[in-house]
Amino acid sequence: MVARFLSLKLTLMGNTFRRSVWQTIGMIVAALYALGVVGLLIAAVVGLGFFGDPAWAGLAITLGGALAVLGWWVIPIFAFGVDATLDPHRFTTFAIPRRTLLAGLAVAGLVSVPGIATVLLALGVSFAWLLQPGVLLVSLVGAVLGVATCVLGSRAITTLLAPVLESRRYREVVTIVALVLFMTIGPLVGWLANGVEGSVEPGSDSSTGMQLLPLFEQAAAVVGWTPFGAAWSLGSTAYDGDWAGLAGRLAVALGTVALAWLVWDRALGRALVRPPVGDGSGGKAKGLGVFGRVPFSPTWAVTARTATYWLRDPRYSGSIAVIPLLPVIMYFTSQSTGSFFLLLATGPFVGWMLGFSISNDIGYDNTAFALHVSSGVDGRADRWGRAIPMLIAGPLVAAATVVASVWVADSWHLTLPLLGLAFGALLVSTAVSCAVSARLVYPVAKPGESPLKSPQGAAMATLVSQGIGFAVTAALALPVFAVGIPALMLGGVLWGLAAILVGILYGALILVLAVRFGARVYDRRLPELLQQVQSFP
């Protein structure tokens, strides 16, 4: 039965290559990227074991393995619905013993790009102890237990929290939290690393790495006794000859695997009998609000629906939640580099990103785009209806970001040039989005799914479409930069006013021309657009 689950998962995985060329390319690129990263990590750790200090290899395996377990356990909570090809509820009518079902799902859970990469990495880094055969054997046992901890713990947590994960309100909240963490973790790590580097005493004979070794050793000593790192620390503990510690950490690792299996078994048994369902209560109708108090027109109808997306759809509202964090992120980055250039560039960058955020609005519509086709909405109404909400809120957000950045940097004399750059970037990027979104549409997460979920095969299409859009935006924004950058360098009120006038007038001209172009493309390709959107996986 376990072999049957494995063959089923392999068959489903192979069928993804038959759906579309983009899915095939995306899977191949993801597999090659994962293999490249795994190969580099294995080479680095094994090289430490052969040519460097084996203690460093043990620390790398322990701390890196703990991070892998943490990722397997935490990421599915945020990226809900990532892999539901073998949903246990689909096997309820087959009378499969629960223990057999658990074993089959556990093995099949490894048949994916992350699963295969984790197995290869866990086994590969164990050969850092190749010169010590006994330690190598212990490390391989730890690698098997580490992989089991990853898979069983992940399944146990997601199955146990299934009733909560099915809640739409939970998905919306956790999406925003995940985006906030994703946006802030990189700059914070860079800021902390810069602080650690700055704490090294000048003229010290020891390198920064050697001074950090005691810190890493203390962290590994603590993590090695936790469920996250116990299995991964077996090799280094055997290398140190700490047999009592080896027995204790082996007990922790085995206990973690057993507890994860027990929790998953109980949670799955409850889920198969009482699967998570909604509470049956529908949402209250809220009406159109202010949109219902104005004369109706196709343009205003599209505007109302688009504005509703920004307020109620977590795929859009998550982007809004991240924007206030950009000045904070740029501040920490500027602190690391010692320059406020990135902080001052936040306003124009926010304007650019806001305008470009509607470059795939038709793709986000999904099957709701059929309403535009069936109701006969023409291209100009569709293009303006999608741009108006951005033109109302975008300048306010961009201006607030500029004011915040110049206030923190204490550079108020740069306010006018930065406003000109921000308004110009917003209008030009919005114009390009109105034109490009009528021609280049790529798969995105469906309504109700996690914004962190990327449909299979969408990576390359997204990269190409966004690359073309960014290149066109940069080319069309050259006049804005040609006036705004000298205004920043020369200063003065006249230069600042010139930057604002050029940014607004030139951006408005490009927007009007782009809407006309996008409307013609939209009207000509309307059937193809509907067919393309409905074919998305």
Side-chain angles (χ1 to χ4, degrees):
M1 185 60 67
V2 174
R4 182 61 58 89
F5 272 95
L6 186 59
S7 64
L8 178 61
K9 184 62 180 291
L10 290 173
T11 301
L12 292 172
M13 190 176 180
N15 287 340
T16 59
F17 292 97
R18 303 178 182 178
R19 291 182 180 179
S20 68
V21 176
W22 288 117
Q23 287 187 340
T24 303
I25 295 175
M27 287 288 293
I28 294 175
V29 170
L32 292 177
Y33 176 78
L35 288 176
V37 173
V38 168
L40 290 175
L41 292 176
I42 291 176
V45 176
V46 173
L48 284 175
F50 273 87
F51 307 106
D53 188 354
W56 277 99
L59 294 177
I61 294 174
T62 301
L63 297 178
L67 290 176
V69 174
L70 184 64
W72 272 84
W73 288 14
V74 173
I75 290 178
I77 299 177
F78 293 99
F80 43 84
V82 172
D83 184 11
T85 53
L86 292 182
D87 188 351
H89 299 99
R90 300 179 181 179
F91 302 97
T92 53
T93 59
F94 291 92
I96 302 174
R98 196 164 71 239
R99 299 298 173 85
T100 305
L101 181 61
L102 286 173
L105 292 176
V107 175
L110 293 174
V111 183
S112 62
V113 173
I116 296 174
T118 302
V119 172
L120 294 177
L121 185 60
L123 298 177
V125 296
S126 299
F127 286 91
W129 313 106
L130 186 61
L131 299 179
Q132 296 85 21
V135 178
L136 173 61
L137 181 61
V138 174
S139 183
L140 288 174
V141 173
V144 174
L145 291 176
V147 173
T149 303
C150 291
V151 176
L152 296 179
S154 175
R155 295 286 181 170
I157 291 174
T158 53
T159 307
L160 183 65
L161 298 179
V164 180
L165 298 178
E166 292 294 325
S167 170
R168 179 178 177 181
R169 181 59 58 188
Y170 166 84
R171 292 198 298 264
E172 294 176 354
V173 173
V174 83
T175 294
I176 296 176
V177 173
L179 290 175
V180 169
L181 293 176
F182 179 78
M183 291 291 294
T184 56
I185 189 171
L188 287 177
V189 169
W191 178 67
L192 291 175
N194 184 72
V196 170
E197 184 179 356
S199 65
V200 178
E201 297 180 2
S204 176
D205 294 334
S206 300
S207 64
T208 305
M210 294 303 295
Q211 292 195 6
L212 292 177
L213 180 58
L215 179 62
F216 289 150
E217 289 177 341
Q218 294 176 5
V222 174
V223 171
W225 286 99
T226 65
F228 300 100
W232 306 102
S233 66
L234 296 182
S236 59
T237 306
Y239 177 78
D240 295 334
D242 184 7
W243 305 116
L246 177 63
R249 298 185 185 200
L250 179 61
V252 173
L254 292 174
T256 301
V257 172
L259 181 61
W261 179 277
L262 179 62
V263 171
W264 187 18
D265 179 59
R266 298 291 177 85
L268 183 60
R270 184 178 65 252
L272 292 177
V273 176
R274 297 187 298 272
V277 295
D279 57 7
S281 60
K284 296 181 179 179
K286 299 180 180 179
L288 294 178
V290 67
F291 298 105
R293 299 185 179 93
V294 297
F296 175 80
S297 68
T299 302
W300 197 251
V302 178
T303 301
R305 191 166 69 87
T306 304
T308 303
Y309 281 173
W310 283 101
L311 296 176
R312 301 180 183 176
D313 194 331
R315 299 176 300 168
Y316 287 82
S317 57
S319 303
I320 300 177
V322 171
I323 289 176
L325 293 174
L326 288 177
V328 180
I329 295 172
M330 293 301 184
Y331 173 77
F332 283 112
T333 306
S334 300
Q335 289 290 324
S336 301
T337 59
S339 172
F340 281 104
F341 169 77
L342 292 177
L343 178 61
L344 294 174
T346 306
F349 179 72
V350 167
W352 184 307
M353 296 305 298
L354 282 175
F356 198 76
S357 62
I358 62 173
S359 61
N360 193 33
D361 255 16
I362 293 179
Y364 280 104
D365 280 353
N366 201 260
T367 54
F369 183 66
L371 294 174
H372 290 236
V373 180
S374 60
S375 58
V377 176
D378 63 351
R380 183 165 297 187
D382 180 89
R383 300 292 88 188
W384 279 117
R386 298 181 187 275
I388 287 175
M390 184 57 61
L391 297 178
I392 295 174
L396 299 177
V397 176
T401 307
V402 169
V403 173
S405 63
V406 298
W407 175 63
V408 174
D410 195 18
S411 302
W412 293 100
H413 61 286
L414 301 178
T415 303
L416 294 181
L418 289 175
L419 286 175
L421 287 171
F423 293 154
L426 171 66
L427 292 172
V428 172
S429 59
T430 303
V432 173
S433 297
C434 291
V436 171
S437 62
R439 184 64 184 87
L440 300 177
V441 183
Y442 50 88
V444 293
K446 295 181 179 180
E449 294 181 341
S450 170
L452 304 179
K453 178 181 179 181
S454 178
Q456 292 183 351
M460 187 58 62
T462 303
L463 182 63
V464 172
S465 300
Q466 292 187 354
I468 294 175
F470 272 107
V472 174
T473 304
L476 292 177
L478 286 178
V480 177
F481 296 143
V483 178
I485 294 178
L488 290 174
M489 299 174 61
L490 299 176
V493 177
L494 293 180
W495 273 102
L497 293 176
I500 292 180
L501 289 176
V502 170
I504 295 177
L505 297 180
Y506 173 78
L509 175 63
I510 296 298
L511 178 61
V512 172
L513 296 177
V515 167
R516 292 181 178 179
F517 173 80
R520 290 197 298 268
V521 175
Y522 173 93
D523 291 333
R524 185 175 67 251
R525 299 191 67 249
L526 191 58
E528 289 82 0
L529 285 173
L530 178 61
Q531 183 180 13
Q532 187 176 1
V533 171
Q534 290 181 336
S535 66
F536 287 160

